[in-house]
Amino acid sequence: MSDTDLSAYKRSAALTALDYVKDGMVLGLGTGSTAKEFIMALGTKVAAGMKLRGVSTSRETATLADRSGIVLLDDNDHWPIDVAVDGADQVDPSFNLIKGGGGALLKEKIVAVSAKQFIVLIDYTKRVPFLGKTFPLPIEVISFGWRNTARAIEALTRSRVVLREQAGAPFRTESGNLIVDTHMARIDNPRELDAALHHIPGIVETGLFIDCADVLIVGTPQGVETYHATRP
């Protein structure tokens, strides 16, 4: 499977997501390669006269949205987000997600839960029978005492915890925090794990997105598949 093929599947999922966008909407704009495809596709709608406003989850996304003609709301506004659209690093059969590979998980989660509808775009390789194993769980932590926080995460998960680095230095989120990637063989109960992790002082947010996704759009070699979450 080539990167070109995967890019095409992401693009097809992004184009399908345009069906959920209506004139005058406020959109939550995710971060990463699949979200980028969606934002660029939105640019064609804006160029054709559609009026859209957006909430950005990263500086990278803000720059791309500006180039695409999308007016961004201020970070400190109260956002009436109609639809948020983002990618995911893993999705299990219950629509639980791992996100944070790009390091924007905190802002992404704030935007996702603030939206009336959250749409997740992936290529088919991101669908997994269970979370973990092939992708570590990103956890955003404050820098103060981060080694103690990492040790507590290791004790809870019985897994290897690695500080994320970039260009030989600790990776910093846009909020100035660190990310530790937790390499777990299998996450059997994402909801329980997420709750337990939030009891550890120093953890800002986890990359587990539980009961967030309303629509899953998957680009596959056979075409685009769309699924809707069913909840009580």
Side-chain angles (χ1 to χ4, degrees):
M1 178 59 58
S2 70
D3 290 342
T4 301
D5 291 333
L6 292 180
S7 294
Y9 302 148
K10 293 175 182 179
R11 190 174 303 114
S12 62
L15 292 174
T16 299
L18 292 179
D19 293 340
Y20 293 83
V21 178
K22 307 300 180 186
D23 190 61
M25 276 188 168
V26 174
L27 303 176
L29 305 175
T31 295
S33 58
T34 311
K36 179 179 179 180
E37 294 287 352
F38 175 70
I39 296 168
M40 290 191 297
L42 284 178
T44 63
K45 292 287 189 180
V46 172
M50 182 176 279
K51 304 297 183 185
L52 299 172
R53 293 179 295 163
V55 177
S56 169
T57 54
S58 68
R59 287 187 291 270
E60 177 187 356
T61 292
T63 298
L64 183 59
D66 182 64
R67 291 174 182 168
S68 301
I70 302 168
V71 176
L72 293 178
L73 299 181
D74 188 88
D75 287 352
N76 296 317
D77 283 350
H78 174 259
W79 315 307
I81 300 176
D82 297 293
V83 176
V85 180
D86 206 347
D89 298 300
Q90 285 189 334
V91 182
D92 76 7
S94 298
F95 279 38
N96 298 312
L97 319 174
I98 283 182
K99 289 178 52 56
L105 64 95
L106 176 58
K107 290 186 176 181
E108 288 174 337
K109 187 173 285 191
I110 291 171
V111 167
V113 301
S114 298
K116 296 174 185 175
Q117 187 177 49
F118 180 37
I119 299 174
V120 177
L121 312 178
I122 59 170
D123 67 75
Y124 75 100
T125 66
K126 303 298 177 63
R127 286 194 292 190
V128 293
F130 53 84
L131 300 181
K133 189 177 180 178
T134 59
F135 198 90
L137 172 63
I139 302 175
E140 187 161 342
V141 302
I142 67 169
S143 56
F144 178 80
W146 74 265
R147 286 184 174 83
N148 290 64
T149 305
R151 198 171 298 125
I153 296 170
E154 286 179 339
L156 174 68
T157 63
R158 299 180 181 180
S159 304
R160 183 169 61 95
V161 177
V162 180
L163 178 68
R164 185 179 298 183
E165 295 187 347
Q166 185 177 56
F171 174 88
R172 290 281 178 177
T173 70
E174 292 186 21
S175 299
N177 299 313
L178 304 174
I179 287 183
V180 293
D181 291 311
T182 304
H183 296 257
M184 302 182 66
R186 182 183 181 113
I187 301 175
D188 288 312
N189 192 326
R191 183 188 304 279
E192 183 179 286
L193 175 62
D194 189 55
L197 286 168
H198 275 94
H199 280 93
I200 297 177
I203 288 180
V204 178
E205 192 51 84
T206 81
L208 289 169
F209 283 54
I210 313 298
D211 289 339
C212 290
D214 298 300
V215 181
L216 177 65
I217 300 177
V218 187
T220 80
Q222 292 74 40
V224 177
E225 300 174 3
T226 301
Y227 304 89
H228 292 80
T230 55
R231 300 191 183 99

